[in-house]
Amino acid sequence: MLAAPANRLGIRDRSIGLTHFAVAGREHEVAYLRVRDFNETEHGMEVDICVSKIAPREVKVPFGSRPSSCPVRACRAWKDEAGLTDPDGFAYRPLHPRWHTVMDGGLDPETIGDVITRLGKWVDLDFKPPSCGSGIRRDGLDQGVRGCRRPRPPRMGVPTHA
């Protein structure tokens, strides 16, 4: 995450990427997080994921061993940089394209995916998140093991040789 720029955009994107990874969340779960959903504790923070595909959950996120890749420090830095004080406000907000001032409202899930892709480009990774409607497993089956399919087992009652 050192490749992210040291400006407001880089601080926000670093926080999004590290939070996304730390809570093992979906893009929409990260997009709809509110400031009140982040509770700092003695050993890190607890993230209350209220909007979820399966069920709401609380995720305990410990401090990272390196300050550059610590999700707790990154969230704290973004909160301080953006001046987030309203507990009902979105935790991750859009930035003005030219001035990088913090704007009202929240980010949509597609923008969260764009942020993850941009972080990958900053560190020179050829990475694209799984497309919407499919998961990592399906994308892996579609792309990575196309020619390595196992033969189908014979059906019961059907002879395998003539």
Side-chain angles (χ1 to χ4, degrees):
M1 291 298 170
L2 291 174
N7 60 14
R8 191 171 283 155
L9 176 69
I11 293 169
R12 184 201 66 183
D13 289 359
R14 185 180 307 116
S15 179
I16 288 172
L18 291 171
T19 301
H20 195 314
F21 182 77
V23 301
R26 293 176 171 86
E27 292 169 358
H28 74 274
E29 293 173 343
V30 175
Y32 298 125
L33 286 173
R34 304 290 180 147
V35 175
R36 69 173 172 263
D37 296 333
F38 292 88
N39 300 314
E40 291 199 27
T41 64
E42 181 182 344
H43 301 290
M45 69 179 173
E46 290 182 2
V47 181
D48 186 17
I49 300 175
C50 300
V51 177
S52 178
K53 181 178 178 181
I54 307 298
R57 64 189 189 279
E58 274 194 21
V59 180
K60 293 181 181 183
V61 179
F63 284 102
S65 58
R66 295 186 184 116
S68 63
S69 61
C70 175
V72 179
R73 291 180 184 98
C75 287
R76 192 182 296 156
W78 164 244
K79 188 176 176 183
D80 292 344
E81 179 68 28
L84 302 178
T85 56
D86 179 19
D88 293 328
F90 285 100
Y92 297 112
R93 299 183 183 178
L95 300 175
H96 189 275
R98 184 171 180 186
W99 309 112
H100 290 182
T101 54
V102 180
M103 299 170 63
D104 292 332
L107 299 175
D108 61 349
E110 184 177 351
T111 304
I112 299 294
D114 294 342
V115 166
I116 301 301
T117 303
R118 183 169 49 243
L119 285 169
K121 286 181 183 177
W122 281 339
V123 295
D124 202 24
L125 291 177
D126 186 24
F127 172 76
K128 182 180 175 191
S131 59
C132 213
S134 65
I136 294 172
R137 182 178 183 279
R138 178 176 171 185
D139 282 352
L141 288 175
D142 289 347
Q143 297 169 7
V145 282
R146 234 178 243 287
C148 301
R149 296 190 184 255
R150 295 185 203 157
R152 290 178 122 177
R155 293 191 321 207
M156 298 296 279
V158 177
T160 58
H161 58 284

